[in-house]
Amino acid sequence: MKKKRIVWLDAVRGWAIILVILGHTDISKMNKEIFTWIYSFHIPLFFIISGMVFSIKEVKYTKFLKNKVITLLVPYIVFRIIEIMFGMIYSTMLGSSITYINIRNRVVGLFLQSRGTVYESGLWFLTCLFLMQNVMYYIEKIKIKRIKYICIASIVCIGIWYQIFVNKPLPWYIEILFTCFIFIYLGYYMKNIIIKDKTGGYIHIIILTSIHLFATFLNFKISGHSTDLYWNCYGNFILFYIAALSGAVVWILIFKKIYIKGKLLAYIGKNSLIFYVLHQNIIMPICGKIFKYIVDYQKLTYIKRMGYFGIETIMVCMMIVPCAYIINKFFPFIVGKSKK
């Protein structure tokens, strides 16, 4: 029997991917406060939601692994290849030459992935989540709670230590796995509390929002930069974890409390993987070219520029919707789904 989807949780995921798309516009150059706010919690929110829907009902690891390969690694490989091909075509159209070294680096990067190098990938979240869920499988197989908690604490401590004293890129962004593993575990732990219970009134939302904003901007003031998981930038780790957790939980509680069963956000959330893999390196360059012929945002006033980025985000989403329909209808296997 197919598991029934939780509509409001899909809506949270939809809201999160919209923030990811907005964060990938040039809004960081215009409004550091909004950029700092978005990046303080939006990726941890995805990890927490992944924990909330995580299941290890499969007894055998081979069955679990097969499922994760189909739902995470296959989409990563397929869309990374599409990204590479699109990038080569786009570069050629702009007059750039494609060399053997360019092709080689992109192909090697498909399997290696390493931030800040010629092997980096914008689809890092999929491989990182794949590794994280595999670790989660074995953590949850530990029966003795004390040992389980020691393992989780050790994973996080290793991540903090590595960021402070080493901070060099690792294949498949393994360093992010260590620092952010706590989010997927907390999501898994909290799912029964949040989903099944009537936890989280308006007073909780107000308190958590206050804590989130205070921790986010205090961290920014102390560190001098925004949180950015991709670049392994966290600032003060205590403030980072407080800001990320409180910010993520706030939006989960808000959508659980007030979400009306509409279709738009839930649809985007249900297809968040498609929105994620298509938006940054495929749809955004096309959208940017179209917008460039319409208006030069550099000449706009500050308020109009902010509106420009909002419209750009909406346009990117609108352009992805028909792509999502085609993929779901004819090629569902490339996003880990089966034909209905």
Side-chain angles (χ1 to χ4, degrees), residues 43 47 113 121-128 173 176 229-230 276:
I43 299 301
F47 283 132
Q113 286 199 86
S121 168
L123 304 183
W124 65 271
F125 180 83
L126 297 180
T127 51
C128 183
Y173 304 90
I176 300 176
L229 270 63
Y230 178 83
Y276 171 68

Side-chain angles (χ1 to χ4, degrees), residues 139-153:
I139 289 291
E140 276 306 297
K141 289 296 181 181
I142 299 174
K143 301 299 182 183
I144 304 174
K145 287 188 177 181
R146 184 180 299 177
I147 296 178
K148 181 188 294 186
Y149 297 151
I150 290 173
C151 289
I152 294 168

Side-chain angles (χ1 to χ4, degrees), residues 99-116:
T99 65
Y100 166 77
I101 295 177
N102 294 141
I103 298 173
R104 185 202 64 186
N105 289 342
R106 291 174 182 179
V107 173
V108 172
L110 175 66
F111 301 98
L112 181 61
Q113 286 199 86
S114 184
R115 61 182 166 87

